[in-house]
Amino acid sequence: MTGDWLDIGWVDEIPVRGSRTVQVAGGDDIAVFRTAEGKVFALRDRCPHKHGRLSQGIVHGGAVACPLHNWRISLSTGEALGEDKGCTPTVPVKIDAGRVLICRASTLKAAA
Amino acid sequence: MEHRPLNPEADTREHLVVIGNGMAGCRAVEELIARDADRYRVTIFGAEPRVNYNRIMLSPVLAGEKSFDDIVINDADWYAANGIALVAGDPVTAIDRAAKTVTTRSGTTESYDRLLIATGSDPFIIPVPGKDLPGVIAFRDMDDVSAMLAAADAGGDAVVIGGGLLGLEAAHGLSLRGMKVTVIHLMPTLMERQLDEAAGWLLKNALEARGQTILTGADTAEIVGDGKVEGVKLKDGTLIPASLVVMAVGIRPSVALARDAGLAVGRGIQVDDHMVTSDPAVLAVGECVEHDGQVYGLVAPLWDMCRSLADGLVEQPSGYRGSVTSTKLKVSGIDVFSAGDFSGGDGCEDIVLRDASRGIYKRVIVKDDRIVGAVLYGDTADGSWYFDLLKKQDDVSDLRDLLIFGQAFAAGGGAADPKAAVAALSDDAEICGCNGVTKGQVVSCIAKGAHSLDAVRGTCKASASCGSCTGLVENLLALTLGDEVQAGPKTMCKCTSFGHDDVRREIVAQNMRSIPEVMQKLHWTTPDGCSSCRPALNYYLLCALPGDYVDDQQSRFVNERLHANIQKDGTYSVVPRMWGGLTNPTELRAIADVVEKYDAPMVKVTGGQRLDIFGIKKEDLPAVWADLNAAGMVSGHAYGKALRTVKTCVGSEWCRFGTQDSTGLGVKIERMSWGSWMPHKFKIAVSGCPRNCAEATIKDFGIVCVDSGYELHVGGNGGIHVRVTDLLCKVATEQEAMDYCAAFIQLYREEARYLERTAPWIERVGVEKIKARIVDDAAGREALRARFLYAQGFSQDDPWAQRAEGAEREHHAPMARFTPQEQLA
């Protein structure tokens, strides 16, 4: 996996309204989400609040609810929604012929 | 067909030649005449052999609602009266800009001083095999309509390719003329450029109900036939027979003439704000032009362009600034409207009103307190109002509460006060469309004592069906009662106006079978709910449809999805079931082995008499469970809104005070009730004597054994708010104790709200009601018990064993692993 984009697998491997993770050696996991509308997003798998695993949360609309304290995090911006304040780094995603590609440079940054 | 004024050569005025006798060309001339009727000598060339007619009205002609004469805009007399020469049926084929002449197909040449190109657009024909077969037509002009009418007279099957406005109009007309019509649309929803997904879905349903076949996501491979059309073949292999194929996939600006003449052409003929092309003597207007990068296919921008063009021609230039477009249409008799941007996005908020019974859907998209888009289906009366607000970029924050109800409502009796607006309604104004309840009826029902939303719903039924008029009813309550309104039960969450009990009742009453169905029928205001309502709906459906409902894993909290308890460091804890708190060397050895093998940092004895293994990684869970399964242990459900544990003391077998076999009974009860999903966690205990070592009187269901039998206690809680149980009753036999326990659990499962423990539930409904159902009503108790045991037949399936065998592996394994070459910063 070299180049600008990392090929992490098929879109269909991510459950709709669910997520999977990408393990990054020496760093945090990247959580990859798929919404009901079929959009795919990637974020560092840590809530800005108490570092809950966002990949384990409930995905609704364009957000995920952190499993620890129910903070809602925007999948597109990584920002906490509502009254909460905080932001999780996002990783650009592109879909090519059914494959999910995530930006390599952003992955390194988000996982660090 | 020609209308020529006498003696044109004697006319010394500048000669304006118009190419195109359609809506734009003629409108431009009309605007010019309105400003200065005598300034130009005008000649219009038209490709079609007829006078200027309203192309938009071709659909009603096809549908048989109008004749051609009805849709003529300017008849022959208009040309004559205004001294306009019309050359119809002889299209212009070339422009010579150097000589300032145009030449027609028949070879006629005409010179001009100013030339106006209004060639409109051409239908786009998709380049598939068979596109040129006889019987394949577009839907653009009167000749196409005549061809369709001839085909319809012969009857048979028609295929319309394209589910946009034009295609649906063609389909509607052909259907009314007796043809069996199939619409093939490439995109997932109809009219996706004008309507959002929800409105497109409603439209598809409505058209299907009228007998048309609508295939969305369907890609045409070829049109088949020998010498004439016989059918359409899709890329998935489906063959649809057809004697007529209408291509209505879109239009393209008609720019060939302009391009051949060397004018600047992008997507359309490029014009400035005064509709002047790259040649100052040549103007262009309508669908064939590109202004500021935009090409328009609607009539309203065209009128704007014609005004600017005419202003320029009489040397009072105003300048066209582009148009914000809206679409207000009747598609096959159904009103639809859309304007602006309805794709959503960051910062956009949706205000949605759905009225299922009347087939109405309204959605207004607001960003920074301004309307940026609107989609209306079924009732478009307020389209122009929303469009006006959108164009003016008015701040709508004051109107927000009323916005979706429309202008009459928002303006009626007090601009920003919803109460005043409701007060201004007459007594016979309909409040609830589903149940046909008027304002007068709601008010009289409130006057008769219905002092809460629930009471109103229960008596006159207003807002009890789809819930979209809930706000109106609440305002009527406030108006009628002032401060005496009783707050109803809270709504489930912000996604709905219904409370838990209402949702549950409707799930059962309407036999709803899936979460999306509940959300559609009960008018959820969000597309797929939230982390509060989804787990609740999943539970309610699971409880209502045992063995039938397919559990939605994505609507479960992580612990229930992974069958283990998430800890703050992201690892999990694992609690195997130990029936009644009993264990043995095999189980203990297996647990010890797991702790060592997976390097678990801690093992803890729980309050429920189990062993909790901490620090297990998500990907190791299936292997841990496989090892525990091998020793005969199953999931302890320590993670679930479910039966947790049955705690026991040693009882009569060993204890000198024991009165009954409390451990034996505890094991039996746990075997009966394990695996059942509940509104919240549920704990049971069995104590062998009134010393109550198993702490049964702070459990959800507690049994205290006495010499003469078994005391049954309910509704205890040892949590934040310690609550001692209420005594339900006393029974004589073990079997009775188990039967009452099963019945109580089922009553709780069916009637408590999601995330409501037994303690608050019993305080809410009162223990007397519980006693009436469980103790006094023997038949009811037996029915409850039977329903519980029936449901248990489906739920007592060890989830660990399924996962250990590889089920739902995606919950545990990462999708990919990435080892960067470089050091992470």
Side-chain angles (χ1 to χ4, degrees):
Chain A
M1 295 207 281
T2 52
D4 297 338
W5 294 88
L6 303 171
D7 181 336
I8 59 169
W10 296 103
V11 173
D12 293 347
E13 293 177 64
I14 313 167
V16 173
R17 273 188 258 100
S19 84
R20 298 292 299 275
T21 56
V22 176
Q23 272 184 358
V24 182
D28 285 326
D29 286 1
I30 302 298
V32 188
F33 299 88
R34 187 172 169 204
T35 67
E37 290 181 321
K39 290 187 186 152
V40 176
F41 299 96
L43 285 80
R44 178 198 283 179
D45 193 12
R46 276 161 76 100
C47 181
H49 178 216
K50 300 269 186 185
H51 302 163
R53 299 293 180 109
L54 296 177
S55 59
Q56 305 304 304
I58 290 180
V59 178
H60 53 95
V64 60
C66 176
L68 291 192
H69 306 95
N70 213 27
W71 276 35
R72 287 182 307 122
I73 308 298
S74 160
L75 295 176
S76 57
T77 64
E79 296 275 359
L81 300 172
E83 295 301 303
D84 299 320
K85 295 277 171 279
C87 189
T88 293
T90 58
V91 176
V93 175
K94 67 177 186 184
I95 307 295
D96 186 6
R99 300 291 294 182
V100 183
L101 307 169
I102 61 173
C103 173
R104 188 175 192 278
S106 305
T107 298
L108 290 172
K109 229 166 120 186
Chain B
M1 177 164 158
E2 289 197 19
H3 298 269
R4 278 190 183 276
L6 296 170
N7 204 10
E9 289 72 24
D11 196 330
T12 55
R13 295 176 295 175
E14 274 196 287
H15 188 197
L16 173 67
V17 169
V18 181
I19 305 175
N21 186 35
M23 300 185 70
C26 284
R27 180 59 169 249
V29 172
E30 282 180 37
E31 291 282 353
L32 174 65
I33 289 169
R35 281 161 181 73
D36 187 347
D38 299 324
R39 190 174 186 117
Y40 293 93
R41 176 163 73 93
V42 179
T43 302
I44 302 177
F45 287 88
E48 291 182 62
R50 45 183 75 89
V51 292
N52 167 230
Y53 63 91
N54 188 343
R55 201 178 295 283
I56 296 171
M57 302 304 279
L58 284 173
S59 299
V61 174
L62 177 64
E65 291 157 8
K66 290 196 186 306
S67 68
F68 178 73
D69 287 342
D70 293 333
I71 68 167
V72 166
I73 300 175
N74 292 307
D75 59 14
D77 292 345
W78 174 79
Y79 295 90
N82 289 289
I84 299 165
L86 170 66
V87 184
D90 190 12
V92 171
T93 52
I95 300 167
D96 183 340
R97 290 198 289 128
K100 285 197 166 182
T101 60
V102 297
T103 304
T104 68
R105 187 168 59 195
S106 69
T108 311
T109 296
E110 186 81 51
S111 65
Y112 65 82
D113 298 301
R114 306 296 293 275
L115 179 66
L116 171 60
I117 305 176
T119 43
S121 49
D122 299 320
F124 179 61
I125 302 295
I126 50 172
V128 290
K131 68 180 168 60
D132 298 320
L133 282 170
V136 181
I137 57 167
F139 182 20
R140 186 64 191 161
D141 59 29
M142 194 56 212
D143 292 339
D144 295 327
V145 172
S146 302
M148 279 192 255
L149 292 178
D153 282 343
D157 299 318
V159 166
V160 175
I161 303 177
L165 172 67
L166 217 52
L168 296 182
E169 291 288 8
H172 177 59
L174 292 170
S175 184
L176 285 179
R177 298 273 179 178
M179 293 191 90
K180 188 171 170 298
V181 180
T182 301
V183 177
I184 298 172
H185 191 50
L186 185 61
M187 304 305 285
T189 60
L190 295 176
M191 291 183 69
E192 72 285 346
R193 284 167 60 193
Q194 290 86 18
L195 300 179
D196 65 3
E197 196 184 346
W201 183 81
L202 286 167
L203 182 60
K204 178 168 183 270
N205 280 0
L207 295 177
E208 283 171 340
R210 292 174 188 198
Q212 299 178 27
T213 304
I214 313 280
L215 303 176
T216 50
D219 200 355
T220 305
E222 66 170 304
I223 297 167
V224 294
D226 187 5
K228 63 177 175 53
V229 167
E230 286 164 16
V232 174
K233 194 178 211 170
L234 302 182
K235 288 210 172 136
D236 68 6
T238 312
L239 181 69
I240 305 154
S243 55
L244 173 72
V245 172
V246 180
M247 278 234 201
V249 292
I251 53 172
R252 292 277 171 86
S254 178
V255 296
L257 259 185
R259 182 179 285 130
D260 291 348
L263 293 169
V265 171
R267 282 198 295 152
I269 304 165
Q270 289 168 339
V271 294
D272 66 10
D273 291 352
H274 310 289
M275 317 314 293
V276 179
T277 67
S278 55
D279 177 342
V282 182
L283 306 120
V285 74
E287 290 180 348
C288 61
V289 310
E290 174 185 325
H291 172 265
D292 199 16
Q294 289 289 317
V295 171
Y296 297 93
L298 293 167
V299 73
L302 197 143
W303 296 162
D304 293 340
M305 288 182 204
C306 287
R307 277 190 286 274
S308 301
L309 172 101
D311 289 341
L313 279 176
V314 298
E315 284 160 25
Q316 289 170 344
S318 54
Y320 175 65
R321 304 264 178 270
S323 302
V324 183
T325 57
S326 67
T327 319
K328 186 171 182 176
L329 307 161
K330 224 180 184 49
V331 185
S332 314
I334 299 157
D335 291 315
V336 301
F337 169 91
S338 72
D341 180 7
F342 49 88
S343 60
D346 280 347
C348 287
E349 301 162 78
D350 287 329
I351 304 174
V352 177
L353 184 149
R354 305 194 207 218
D355 186 338
S357 63
R358 290 196 295 153
I360 286 171
Y361 168 81
K362 301 184 183 186
R363 174 168 165 235
V364 175
I365 299 92
V366 176
K367 186 174 186 179
D368 299 330
D369 292 327
R370 274 150 184 90
I371 295 181
V372 296
V375 180
L376 309 178
Y377 179 95
D379 174 5
T380 57
D382 285 304
S384 49
W385 182 57
Y386 293 129
F387 187 48
D388 194 44
L389 291 171
L390 185 154
K391 277 196 296 190
K392 288 192 201 142
Q393 285 294 289
D394 281 354
D395 186 327
V396 295
S397 52
D398 289 344
L399 292 172
R400 200 184 156 107
D401 290 348
L402 298 157
L403 199 57
I404 201 72
F405 300 113
Q407 182 179 22
F409 199 73
D417 182 359
K419 278 190 208 165
V422 180
L425 291 174
S426 63
D427 271 358
D428 57 1
E430 190 173 76
I431 298 292
C432 174
C434 296
N435 294 303
V437 189
T438 63
K439 177 185 165 188
Q441 287 169 301
V442 175
V443 171
S444 98
C445 147
I446 296 169
K448 284 179 193 148
H451 287 187
S452 69
L453 181 62
D454 242 25
V456 172
R457 284 177 174 173
T459 43
C460 70
K461 297 279 175 227
S463 82
S465 293
C466 80
S468 58
C469 60
T470 302
L472 295 178
V473 174
E474 284 173 339
N475 281 320
L476 283 175
L477 277 161
L479 274 172
T480 316
L481 298 172
D483 295 335
E484 289 169 43
V485 185
Q486 293 160 4
K490 288 202 328 222
T491 60
M492 268 181 82
C493 63
K494 285 181 183 165
C495 304
T496 175
S497 63
F498 285 112
H500 282 268
D501 299 342
D502 300 315
V503 171
R504 234 180 154 176
R505 184 192 62 236
E506 291 304 314
I507 285 175
V508 174
Q510 299 188 40
N511 189 28
M512 299 183 195
R513 309 190 75 79
S514 70
I515 292 176
E517 184 183 1
V518 176
M519 291 180 175
Q520 179 65 31
K521 288 197 171 157
L522 296 182
H523 302 260
W524 244 242
T525 58
T526 48
D528 55 358
C530 69
S531 56
S532 298
C533 59
R534 285 233 310 270
L537 294 180
N538 191 52
Y539 169 71
Y540 291 151
L541 287 161
L542 193 69
C543 181
L545 304 165
D548 214 357
Y549 176 67
V550 182
D551 203 312
D552 178 22
Q553 288 291 297
Q554 302 308 340
S555 295
R556 288 238 182 220
F557 185 61
V558 55
N559 287 356
E560 295 185 352
R561 209 180 319 130
L562 287 178
H563 299 283
N565 291 58
I566 194 166
Q567 303 299 328
K568 67 182 214 180
D569 66 350
T571 65
Y572 291 81
S573 81
V574 170
V575 181
R577 197 165 284 286
M578 289 177 174
W579 307 98
L582 304 181
T583 185
N584 58 46
T586 312
E587 290 181 355
L588 290 171
R589 248 181 230 114
I591 290 171
D593 288 344
V594 162
V595 170
E596 288 185 345
K597 184 168 165 189
Y598 300 96
D599 216 10
M602 186 168 90
V603 187
K604 165 92 178 64
V605 179
T606 72
Q609 301 180 334
R610 305 297 141 100
L611 290 171
D612 196 346
I613 309 164
F614 283 86
I616 302 292
K617 294 184 199 70
K618 184 175 72 170
E619 38 293 19
D620 287 338
L621 287 170
V624 167
W625 296 333
D627 289 358
L628 295 171
N629 277 163
M633 283 182 281
V634 298
S635 166
H637 291 82
Y639 47 79
K641 315 293 176 218
L643 185 273
R644 290 283 176 90
T645 56
V646 180
K647 186 174 181 178
T648 64
C649 70
V650 292
S652 58
E653 198 182 351
W654 298 90
C655 178
R656 62 200 163 108
F657 300 113
T659 61
Q660 310 281 356
D661 178 13
S662 50
T663 41
L665 176 56
V667 171
K668 281 183 200 157
I669 288 183
E670 189 159 349
R671 294 265 180 206
M672 172 182 79
S673 54
W674 78 280
S676 60
W677 296 107
M678 311 257 197
H680 209 308
K681 58 188 173 184
F682 194 97
K683 299 174 178 180
I684 298 176
V686 186
S687 283
C689 79
R691 286 166 190 78
N692 192 14
C693 294
E695 299 162 342
T697 48
I698 53 163
K699 295 289 183 265
D700 295 281
F701 190 87
I703 300 176
V704 176
C705 303
V706 292
D707 275 334
S708 56
Y710 305 82
E711 289 174 7
L712 307 182
H713 299 262
V714 294
N717 195 324
I720 301 172
H721 303 289
V722 180
R723 182 180 194 272
V724 173
T725 46
D726 292 305
L727 178 65
L728 183 67
C729 63
K730 196 178 142 191
V731 295
T733 66
E734 255 192 9
Q735 188 58 50
E736 283 174 298
M738 290 181 58
D739 291 352
Y740 280 64
C741 176
F744 177 77
I745 290 176
Q746 187 64 11
L747 190 65
Y748 171 61
R749 295 182 75 228
E750 291 178 1
E751 299 193 0
R753 297 171 188 158
Y754 190 68
L755 294 187
E756 185 176 43
R757 290 288 299 270
T758 56
W761 171 55
I762 286 177
E763 293 199 345
R764 177 166 66 82
V765 302
V767 73
E768 292 311 317
K769 283 207 175 136
I770 310 283
K771 284 184 181 170
R773 300 283 295 278
I774 305 291
V775 182
D776 306 339
D777 178 3
R781 174 177 70 240
E782 180 50 32
L784 283 165
R785 185 187 79 99
R787 285 204 292 279
F788 180 63
L789 296 184
Y790 175 76
Q792 284 297 84
F794 303 101
S795 59
Q796 291 192 329
D797 195 2
D798 180 26
W800 287 3
Q802 299 165 21
R803 294 283 174 94
E805 283 164 12
E808 296 166 286
R809 189 172 285 131
E810 74 276 7
H811 288 308
H812 303 282
M815 188 176 182
R817 291 183 171 84
F818 169 46
T819 309
Q821 309 300 307
E822 54 273 65
Q823 195 72 36
L824 288 176

